[in-house]
Structure formats: C-alpha cells, structure tokens
Amino acid sequence: MSLSSRQAFAIRPAPGALRGTAQDTRATPCFHCALPVPDPGRYRVKVDGTWQPVCCPGCEAVATAILGYGLQGYYQHRTSPAPTAEAGGENEDFRIYDDLEVQRGFVHASAGGECDAALMLEGIRCTACVWLNESVLGRLPGVLGIGINATTHRAQVRWDPRKIRLSEILAAVRRIGYRAHPYDARKTEAAQRSERKQSLWRLFVAGFGMMQVMMYALPVYMAEPGSMTPDIEQLMRWASMILTLPVVLYSAGPFFEAAWRDLRLGRMGMDLPVALGIAAAFAASVWSTFSGHGEVYFDSVAMFVFLLLCGRYLEIRARHAVARSLDYLSRAIPEVALRLGQAQDAEQVPVSALRPGNRVLVRSGERVPADGVVVEGKSFVDESLLSGESRPVARQTGDRLIGGSTNVADPLVMQVERIGADTVMSSIVRLMQQAATERPALAANAERLTGWFVAVTLALAASAAAAWWFIEPGQALWVAVAILVVTCPCALSLATPVALTVATGRLARQGLIVCRGHVIETLARATDVVLDKTGTLTLGQLRLARTHRLADMGEADCLAIAAALEQGSMHPMAKALIAAYPQALAARDSKHHAGLGVEAELDGHAYRLGRTEFVTTAHKVPAPWQPRVLPAGSSIAMLGDESRCLALFVFGDELRADAGAFVDALRRAGKRVHLLSGDRDETVGQIAAALGIEAITANASPQTKLGYVQALQRQGRVVAMIGDGINDAPVLAQASVSIAMGDGAWMSQRQADAVLLSGRLGDLRAAFNTSTRTLAVIRENLFWALLYNLTAVPLAALGMVTPWMAGIGMSASSLVVILNSLRLFRQPGIPAAASMPRDLVAAG
C-alpha cells in the first residue's frame, strides 16, 4: 500500500490541532500496548474516524502499519494488548508479525506446515552484507532456507514455525545492524524514494562543501611563494577544515557506518578501503592544520567524496530500475476493492481485508482485486499482463477471473476464491523471487573473489605507502589513499548479480518465469534440447476424433466407461473423453500408471484404459485390430475389461504454429534437438518429419525418458528438457535445466527450473537468446572490472593517480558494469510484452 493511502488510515494531525484535548495521563492507556500514555497529545493514530492515543513512536509506527494493511480486525479480536513496540534500536519488538492476521498478506504456508515470506532488507551495501545476513539467519534453528538478492536487497526466507517465529528472524537481522520488514511493492517504492532523496541531500552537501573549500584552496595554490602571510594561509586552512567537516561526517557517513559494522562483525566489506582513504586523508590534513606543518588536502577529500556519491547515486537509480523490472506484477493488484454487503451495498475496503466468499463489484476500468469467479454480469477483461494476449477476452457468469486483470467493459460481480499469498499473481511473484535470491556458480565465484580482493587492496596500499616513505615521504599518504579509493571491488561484485537480475526481469516479460538461479547460465550452455510431444510441440488440446468399437458394446457405453475412469485426471486425453461424455459414472479403486494408463472398477467389472500393451497384457487379451493410417499428430487409447478389448479411441491434435520456427532456431544455434514421446512410432515419426527432428524415441515410458537424459549427461552433454505432463516430472528433475509448459500439469511445474507461462514456443526461443546474451554481458562485465583494476592499481602505486581522480575511476567502473547490464532491457528483436497464463495451477 502506498504511503498516501496509509496516511488515510493513520496519521496524526499537527500538534496544534490537538491542544485542549489531553486527558488525565494516569487514566489514558496506549491504544496499541495498553501502557500509560505520558503525553496523550503527542502520538496518536486514527481508527475508524477516531483519534486514539499511543505511548511512543514505536507503537505509533506498528499501529499505523497494521491499519495501513487493512487489519483493523486485529484490534477488534485480540484477547490481550499488543507487545510494547520500542522505536528503533536493537530492542525493537517484532512480535506483532507473529500474528496470523498480520501474516495473511505476505506469508505463504505450504501443505507441510513450512512458511515462506519475502522480506525487504535495509542497510545492504555490498555482497559482504548479503553474506553476513545469510550466514546469521542460516544458523538459526528452524530456518530452512535463506536467499538474498544483492541487487534488489530482497530476501526470500523459509522457516518452520514450530521451531522459530518470524519475529525472532527479524530481530536477528536487527541485532547485526540491519532492518528487515515484509516486502510490499508500494512500500518498497516509498523506501526507494526516501533513499534517493537522502542520497541527493548527501550529494548536495558534498558538492556545496567542495565548491566552498575550493574557494579557500585556490588562492593558496595560485599565490606566489612568499606572497601570502602565514596567518592568512592558516586562516584558509581552518576555513577549509570547518567546511569539510559536514562532508566527512554527513555526506561520507554511509561509508564509515558500513565499514565500522563490518569491522565489528569481523568482516572486510567493500566500503572499508574507501572509509580508510577518506579518514586517513582528512586526519592528516587536520593534523597539519593544528601543527602548522605539512600540506592539507581538504579540497581533495571533499572532491572525491562528492565524486563517489555521484557514482553511488547513479548506481542507486540503476539498481532501483532493475528492481522495478521484477516488481511490475506485484503492483498489478489494486489497493482497494468494492466489497458488497448482504443488501448489495458497496463498501470500499483495502484488498488485504477481503476474504474468500466475499462478493466484490469490479467496475469498468478497474483491476480485479483477487482470484475468483464471476457470479453476475457479462463483460470483456484485459488479461494482457497475464497471457500476453492484447485483445480483451469475454467473461460471464461462471468464468474465472485472475487478480491483476482489468475489466474494460461492463461491471462484474465476482466471488473471491483466493486472496493474498494464495493468488495466481502471488504464485508467479514467489517463483520470480525464489530465482532472484538463488545465486549460480558464476555469482558465487565472483563474491569469493571480491572478499579476497579487499584484503589484497589493503595490503597493497600499506606496501605502497611504506615504499613511498623512503622515496618521497610527502607522497606516501596520498598514494595509499589513491590505491584504497581507486580499486573497485564493487564492479567485480556487481558484474554477475546485476546482469542476472535484469535478465530475470526480461525473461519474465517474455513469458518465462525463472524458478532456479542457475537457469540463465545453463540455458546458454545447453548443448542438447529434449522435447516432449503432446502439449509441448503440439497444442495439447486433444479432441476425440473417432471411436472404433471392438466388441458388441455400444459407442455411448464405451465413452461412459472411459470418461468414468478418467475423472479427476488432467491428462489431455482425459479432458477430451470427459468433454465428449460429460455425464460420467462413478468408478472405484482408480489407479493411475504413469505413462501407461488407468485402471478402475465399475459396476463390478475391472477396466483398463491407455496404451494397447497396457490393456492387452493385464488379462492376456489378444491385441485387437488397429487402423493402419492415422492423420498426422493423432494418438490412440484402448479400452478393455477382464476378457476383451472394447473400443479404440482416436484423438486429434495439431502442431503449435511456432513449433517449426523454434526447432529451426535451436538447430541454427548449434543445439541438437531430441523428441521423446510415449506415443506410437507412427505418430511420433510424423511429427518429427514435419519438424526435421532426427533423434526420436517413441513409446517412451517415464523411466525410458529418464534413462535417455542420463545417457546424454554421461557423454558430457548439457541437457535442457521441455515437457508438460505428470510423466515428465522425473526427467525434468534430472535434466541440467528444465522448463515446464505453463498450461501443463502442476507436478511438472513443481519439478521444473522454469515455467513457460505464456505457452508460446516463440517466447522460449527468445529466452534462449536472452540467456546467451546475458552470459556474454557477464563476461564483458568481469573483463572490464578486472582490466580496470589491473590498470588502475599500478598507476596509483606509481603516484600517477590523485585521490580525486581515483574517486572518478571507482565510480565510473561500477557505473559501466551497471549500464552494460541494463542493455539487456533493450535487446533488439525480442518482444518485451509480458505474457502470463490465464490459469496457473492452484497449488502455486
């Protein structure tokens, strides 16, 4: 929820507006924690139109957050006062986040009882900060997983609520000097605006101080020897020192804070060399000012602080742009909704206050606030954010609505089914956040290199200073400062994560949701692409084309039995049979055999439906007649009982329109394409011939597919597997990188490393291109960072780089890496339209 909307719920008036309203302090309890309020007119929150007193800024902040999330019911249903919320510091109380009502909007609970949530971390400066937080939280008993994105500062935490509470996790973060709070896209935007504003103020103070110091330093530099009296020169020094103080203490404050925190925790972060350089130069200049001997360089200190802050501000802007690329889905859900009462009266409430079963009015032009079903009305809905389809789709009574889509025509009344963390949109966002917080080998190697880099930088600076002390003592300090400042571990640490984060956002807009951190790297290195047929190369929308009777049972009876056996199955053949005979009977003891078929009992008889050999081998039933010629892409299923084959069902399917172009693009990229299918030799052969695929395997069971991929991997091949069915789940888990189709089975999506939510193979072709380009950008970033440091450090050690020049170099080095990564946003020839499915699996 945005700041403005939160203020509508809880913001106190100006102090003067409350004069004369104070009550007896001894009789006024805090609305939040029930402790006595020392000054009733100072801290207040507005609840249901009435101002309520609170005792301190901490209680005011927590109560404002609760009301801002639309959780007024917490105060109505609580059985005891909330714990005291102390403002700031390590004593801050986070127990309010253990309340289930508060957790409803951002915590997702799995079927096994585990919880996961996205948190926003404040105070992250570098990869050392990321390592520290992951290490501390990872050691907490009950924390099952922790991943932090160094670019967006977002953490994905998974824990067992039976062993640890969320408040304990947040408190552990606070104890090491950082702050964590539940991730909210709009709250994050407000925090980013605040960060940019504060950075601009620090930059302004540094720039203003630099200009003023230069006014006093320039006359000293330009004066002829002996033309300026010592008292005037000393006055210039004192004035320069006073003007530099706010630059060092305020503008450079973040460098010192981060360096001190790292030292206190036994770490060497990337701000340590910068802080040492600034402190050493300023301290030496102060000593010269007080002693009256030696040179002062206040102007250089102010200048390279200003230049460093310029680079950091541009880096912040770029990092926020990267974060926004991942947040566009989070911002799709509206802040408020019109909830209908029993008398059909509409009440505007926060979306977080909706519950399953509520009826909501969605007017023309408004976004759908949650997942649900239309109960009244007929309209057109723009689902382009979800499906990539630019044309609005018709929706009427009984049709499903996905939160985040837009009603573009007449009003609709919907019944809410899923809210908060259980919606389709939240499921997609969780997949993206999970991938963003996982780091592949490339990123891990870069981070390890960065840690060593800081230690080597400190050693080089000390060695150079010692050497210059014997050559020219007056230059020793400034050479050390130049080395400390010019080296840029930031560029090394940013080279990989920034590019991966940008690419993840780019892939999401192309319809591919990345669920594992290694996907981009492995897709780019894939040598073999293994494809399933039904639902991957074909549309997977099978239709019953013909029924061949093989016994004296009528066609309608055969269909009724087959539909009864397939009840509850998501297989394309099952959907086709159920669609052909909707009035299905009830079967008992149903057993599904992956890749073979299904068996069950009906009216005292045992039936089997599936592959011919699965039916005929059960009771040694002889193989029946089969049609010799079937249309391209056709599939068959056999129905039989204990003694005979009853019917042969022929299903029709068609190739996806972009299947040929996709296979051609893979071959041109040098990848070998394989086709694995459980279908008949004739059907698979016809599809392979139409697409030009040479490596094919038909009649493949799940075990056959698994063995096929394992054999390729034993040859040293990097295998990318693309499938959509439940029987593809084992091979998807085995492949080097796996992609599940968005409209496929939920089990395959759970096992896959990425999900093609758009269902378009053209988007997958673009994803392969993006992955290849991303790997190239990462190599460019690493090459530039290493080249810069290998060039700049020797020049600084030789005394050829002044501190202010070092500040420019360091800032420019980080900026080049970020801007080079941002080029992935503008990759030519690839559409950027977001493409998501209309019906993601309910399990998320």
Side-chain angles (χ1 to χ4, degrees):
M1 183 171 292
S2 66
L3 184 60
S4 59
S5 58
R6 289 194 179 195
Q7 288 172 337
F9 286 105
I11 188 163
R12 66 183 188 275
L18 296 173
R19 290 174 186 164
T21 63
Q23 302 173 13
D24 184 359
T25 301
R26 292 169 296 179
T28 305
C30 173
F31 175 74
H32 179 71
C33 69
L35 292 178
V37 177
D39 185 0
R42 187 173 183 188
Y43 303 110
R44 294 193 173 199
V45 293
K46 194 173 185 179
V47 184
D48 295 331
T50 304
W51 289 101
Q52 301 287 356
V54 289
C55 63
C56 64
C59 285
E60 181 189 44
V62 174
T64 300
I66 294 172
L67 296 168
Y69 279 109
L71 301 173
Q72 294 91 329
Y74 166 77
Y75 290 109
Q76 298 170 4
H77 304 298
R78 62 179 178 174
T79 56
S80 61
T84 305
E86 298 185 34
E90 295 185 5
N91 296 322
E92 187 171 356
D93 201 318
F94 299 98
R95 281 178 289 176
I96 189 66
Y97 292 113
D98 294 331
D99 189 276
L100 295 180
E101 281 294 312
V102 176
Q103 289 187 1
R104 187 185 295 273
F106 67 94
V107 175
H108 176 260
S110 67
E114 299 174 1
C115 294
D116 68 83
L119 303 176
M120 197 68 192
L121 293 183
E122 297 180 10
I124 298 291
R125 302 289 183 190
C126 61
T127 51
C129 302
V130 172
W131 177 90
L132 177 64
N133 279 272
E134 288 183 341
S135 299
V136 170
L137 296 184
R139 295 191 184 102
L140 295 177
V143 173
L144 306 176
I146 171 67
I148 301 173
N149 187 300
T151 306
T152 61
H153 302 174
R154 198 177 306 163
Q156 193 74 19
V157 185
R158 185 165 50 90
W159 73 95
D160 186 346
R162 292 162 294 194
K163 297 181 180 179
I164 191 171
R165 297 188 301 271
L166 178 58
S167 61
E168 296 176 284
I169 298 174
L170 300 178
V173 174
R174 190 72 187 97
R175 281 195 297 271
I176 58 175
Y178 300 84
R179 291 182 64 88
H181 55 78
Y183 171 74
D184 178 86
R186 296 172 180 88
K187 183 177 179 181
T188 300
E189 283 185 359
Q192 289 176 348
R193 285 195 298 270
S194 176
E195 183 182 10
R196 291 195 297 269
K197 183 178 179 181
Q198 191 175 49
S199 298
L200 275 176
W201 270 111
R202 294 186 189 277
L203 185 61
F204 168 75
V205 170
F208 184 78
M210 177 191 68
M211 290 187 293
Q212 297 302 310
V213 172
M214 288 298 296
M215 289 175 59
Y216 288 95
L218 196 60
V220 177
Y221 290 145
M222 297 184 65
E224 295 291 336
S227 62
M228 182 175 290
T229 59
D231 57 333
I232 296 298
E233 184 175 350
Q234 191 66 7
L235 178 64
M236 297 291 189
R237 291 187 173 193
W238 278 97
S240 297
M241 184 186 73
I242 294 172
L243 289 169
T244 308
L245 269 174
V247 176
V248 173
L249 298 180
Y250 175 69
S251 295
F255 299 113
F256 292 112
E257 291 170 8
W260 172 245
R261 181 177 59 226
D262 290 335
L263 288 175
R264 189 161 52 91
L265 297 168
R267 292 285 301 167
M268 287 190 294
M270 288 182 288
D271 283 325
L272 182 58
V274 175
L276 284 176
I278 295 172
F282 183 72
S285 297
V286 170
W287 171 256
S288 297
T289 300
F290 276 95
S291 64
H293 302 289
E295 299 293 331
V296 295
Y297 291 92
F298 293 117
D299 54 328
S300 294
V301 172
M303 183 178 293
F304 69 72
V305 168
F306 172 74
L307 293 171
L308 287 173
L309 290 176
C310 281
R312 177 152 293 188
Y313 177 73
L314 293 174
E315 178 184 326
I316 288 172
R317 291 293 298 265
R319 176 164 51 81
H320 291 174
V322 171
R324 284 194 296 273
S325 74
L326 296 179
D327 288 343
Y328 73 102
L329 286 178
S330 301
R331 295 191 294 269
I333 299 295
E335 300 178 22
V336 295
L338 288 176
R339 184 172 60 191
L340 298 178
Q342 293 183 350
Q344 292 296 93
D345 53 320
E347 175 193 10
Q348 190 175 72
V349 298
V351 168
S352 56
L354 295 178
R355 296 293 179 267
N358 287 166
R359 291 161 66 93
V360 174
L361 173 64
V362 185
R363 297 177 298 196
S364 177
E366 293 182 342
R367 287 191 180 273
V368 178
D371 293 355
V373 61
V374 179
V375 293
E376 289 182 26
K378 182 184 296 184
S379 183
F380 288 88
V381 176
D382 179 4
E383 297 181 345
S384 58
L385 184 67
L386 302 168
S387 66
E389 176 58 57
S390 59
R391 292 174 298 180
V393 293
R395 289 290 180 264
Q396 58 185 354
T397 302
D399 290 340
R400 295 195 173 277
L401 292 176
I402 303 299
S405 55
T406 304
N407 181 18
V408 297
D410 300 321
L412 292 173
V413 176
M414 65 175 289
Q415 181 170 311
V416 175
E417 292 185 340
R418 291 193 295 264
I419 60 172
D422 297 324
T423 61
V424 168
M425 195 70 72
S426 295
S427 300
I428 296 172
V429 171
R430 270 199 308 277
L431 291 174
M432 295 174 64
Q433 289 172 346
Q434 176 182 327
T437 53
E438 289 187 3
R439 289 189 299 283
L442 274 175
N445 293 336
E447 289 177 14
R448 282 195 291 270
L449 179 61
T450 300
W452 285 101
F453 191 87
V454 174
V456 171
T457 296
L458 297 176
L460 283 174
S463 302
W468 274 92
W469 184 260
F470 294 101
I471 300 171
E472 188 176 344
Q475 285 291 103
L477 174 64
W478 307 113
V479 169
V481 170
I483 292 176
L484 290 172
V485 176
V486 78
T487 51
C488 191
C490 298
L492 281 174
S493 66
L494 292 173
T496 300
V498 172
L500 290 176
T501 304
V502 173
T504 300
R506 179 79 194 187
L507 290 174
R509 292 177 180 272
Q510 291 168 352
L512 183 72
I513 298 299
V514 175
C515 310
R516 301 288 185 272
H518 70 90
V519 167
I520 294 173
E521 179 184 357
T522 313
L523 266 185
R525 296 191 299 106
T527 59
D528 294 68
V529 180
V530 178
L531 302 170
D532 179 43
K533 181 184 75 69
T534 304
T536 302
L537 292 175
T538 66
L539 293 174
Q541 298 171 353
L542 296 183
R543 64 190 183 282
L544 182 60
R546 189 172 179 184
T547 301
H548 293 280
R549 295 170 53 222
L550 304 177
D552 56 359
M553 183 178 289
E555 182 176 329
D557 293 334
C558 292
L559 273 174
I561 296 171
L565 266 61
E566 291 287 15
Q567 284 298 314
S569 174
M570 296 298 293
H571 193 280
M573 287 186 181
K575 293 179 180 179
L577 287 169
I578 294 171
Y581 196 92
Q583 303 86 20
L585 306 173
R588 295 189 307 108
D589 300 329
S590 180
K591 295 179 183 178
H592 288 266
H593 301 268
L596 296 174
V598 60
E599 61 177 323
E601 287 189 12
L602 188 65
D603 295 333
H605 296 278
Y607 294 95
R608 280 195 171 194
L609 174 69
R611 296 165 65 104
T612 302
E613 59 270 25
F614 173 68
V615 175
T616 57
T617 56
H619 302 285
K620 296 184 171 45
V621 175
W625 165 88
Q626 294 188 26
R628 291 173 178 252
V629 180
L630 290 172
S634 296
S635 303
I636 61 172
M638 187 76 67
L639 175 68
D641 59 13
E642 302 98 329
S643 59
R644 56 184 176 165
C645 293
L646 300 175
L648 183 72
F649 302 105
V650 180
F651 301 90
D653 198 1
E654 59 181 289
L655 281 173
R656 294 181 185 268
D658 48 3
F662 173 63
V663 173
D664 289 342
L666 292 177
R667 281 202 302 265
R668 288 196 302 271
K671 303 183 190 298
R672 190 182 181 195
V673 183
H674 308 254
L675 176 58
L676 301 184
S677 176
D679 218 328
R680 304 176 308 116
D681 290 314
E682 295 84 353
T683 301
V684 177
Q686 289 171 347
I687 295 292
L691 298 176
I693 301 175
E694 297 179 358
I696 62 173
T697 299
N699 298 306
S701 66
Q703 293 74 21
T704 303
K705 294 180 180 181
L706 185 62
Y708 191 95
V709 169
Q710 289 173 334
L712 288 175
Q713 291 174 326
R714 284 194 293 270
Q715 299 171 21
R717 315 292 288 180
V718 180
V719 181
M721 173 70 196
I722 307 169
D724 79 317
I726 293 177
N727 59 341
D728 293 324
V731 70
L732 288 171
Q734 174 64 37
S736 308
V737 61
S738 55
I739 300 171
M741 303 300 287
D743 49 4
W746 71 269
M747 180 63 77
S748 67
Q749 294 179 353
R750 293 290 292 270
Q751 294 293 336
D753 299 319
V755 181
L756 184 64
L757 294 177
S758 70
R760 294 190 291 265
L761 293 177
D763 292 338
L764 188 54
R765 178 180 58 178
F768 271 96
N769 293 339
T770 298
S771 298
T772 303
R773 180 65 185 134
T774 301
L775 210 59
V777 167
I778 290 174
R779 293 193 185 103
E780 292 168 4
N781 288 347
L782 290 172
F783 174 78
W784 160 254
L786 289 172
L787 178 64
Y788 164 79
N789 283 288
L790 291 175
T791 304
V793 172
L795 292 177
L798 293 172
M800 302 172 65
V801 178
T802 61
W804 68 267
M805 292 169 61
I808 293 177
M810 178 184 179
S811 301
S813 182
S814 297
L815 201 58
V816 166
V817 166
I818 294 174
L819 294 178
N820 189 47
S821 300
L822 289 176
R823 287 192 303 118
L824 291 168
F825 277 133
R826 299 181 295 274
Q827 187 173 342
I830 296 178
S835 41
M836 304 296 166
R838 288 193 296 268
D839 188 20
L840 190 65
V841 293

